[in-house]
Amino acid sequence: MQKKGLWGTLSEYLVSVLCFGLLVYLDINVVALWRSECNLDERAYLVIFFMNLMLLMVVLLPLISHYVGKINNEKLSAFLGLSPGDEKITYLVFYDFLSGLALSAFYLSVLIYTLKGVFEATDWFITGLYLVVMYIICIYLGVMALIKFIWTFRKLNKVAYGIVALTASAITLSIIDVAMKMVS
């Protein structure tokens, strides 16, 4: 096991400490608003709940990454379909990567489209849980597609890598744009 030193340890937890401070600051201000008898509506409670859960996830990120780091690399590579050697870049490689990214954007679109209905049918707490779970699923799918992207296209030159990245961004943003137009 390699020693990290003081700076390595601090940098690993710096984001978590900053987000924890932001979380405490947010909650202190929310309690101050509540004590001043400021009327917060259901949407405000939903936003506060969502921000608290997401910041809590960032605070717990070092713990999560510790447990994810214990996963066997061969099993993870097999699950993601990462080739150990040089793989030729074919249409199916592009299709696999772009379809994973499109699936992530599609789930995000479903989240955007259904959120208002869920909020109207339930309360802010259930809607907040729905929002966090769906958002984490979207992030997870997008990250898995990007891992596959980086692994596959790491051996290309920077121009080809950039073209593929711009194509992926355009597809993702166009799907999210369609969802935003459906909602409005």
Side-chain angles (χ1 to χ4, degrees):
M1 185 141 188
Q2 183 181 7
K3 271 189 156 178
K4 297 180 189 176
L6 180 62
W7 178 247
T9 304
L10 285 176
S11 65
E12 185 176 345
Y13 296 104
L14 182 64
V15 173
S16 292
V17 170
L18 290 174
C19 283
F20 182 73
L22 182 62
L23 181 65
V24 169
Y25 177 76
L26 171 75
D27 288 340
I28 287 171
N29 284 325
V30 167
V31 169
L33 277 174
W34 179 68
R35 292 182 94 200
S36 70
E37 298 184 19
C38 180
N39 292 332
L40 296 176
D41 63 344
E42 295 280 316
R43 291 179 295 173
Y45 286 124
L46 173 63
V47 169
I48 292 165
F49 184 64
F50 177 71
M51 288 178 63
N52 270 283
L53 287 179
M54 293 312 293
L55 285 173
L56 186 63
M57 289 293 296
V58 174
V59 167
L60 295 176
L61 216 58
L63 181 67
I64 294 169
S65 69
H66 173 73
Y67 286 113
V68 168
K70 289 185 176 185
I71 296 174
N72 188 345
N73 284 339
E74 289 93 28
K75 289 181 181 179
L76 184 63
S77 294
F79 175 72
L80 293 174
L82 303 176
S83 63
D86 289 335
E87 177 183 341
K88 287 187 176 183
I89 296 175
T90 62
Y91 171 75
L92 288 177
V93 172
F94 280 105
Y95 181 81
D96 185 37
F97 157 65
L98 292 175
S99 65
L101 214 52
L103 181 64
S104 174
F106 172 73
Y107 279 146
L108 187 59
S109 301
V110 168
L111 172 64
I112 293 168
Y113 187 71
T114 59
L115 188 62
K116 184 178 179 184
V118 171
F119 184 67
E120 290 172 352
T122 63
D123 63 344
W124 60 269
F125 184 77
I126 301 295
T127 305
L129 290 177
Y130 170 75
L131 179 61
V132 167
V133 168
M134 287 292 286
Y135 191 71
I136 289 173
I137 289 171
C138 294
I139 296 295
Y140 173 78
L141 290 172
V143 165
M144 291 299 119
L146 288 174
I147 287 172
K148 183 109 175 152
F149 166 73
I150 292 169
W151 184 265
T152 303
F153 297 103
R154 71 190 184 282
K155 59 186 169 270
L156 294 179
N157 62 26
K158 292 179 182 177
V159 173
Y161 194 80
I163 290 171
V164 174
L166 285 174
T167 303
S169 299
I171 289 171
T172 303
L173 291 175
S174 65
I175 292 172
I176 293 171
D177 184 51
V178 167
M180 295 302 281
K181 288 181 180 171
M182 287 170 44
V183 171
S184 61

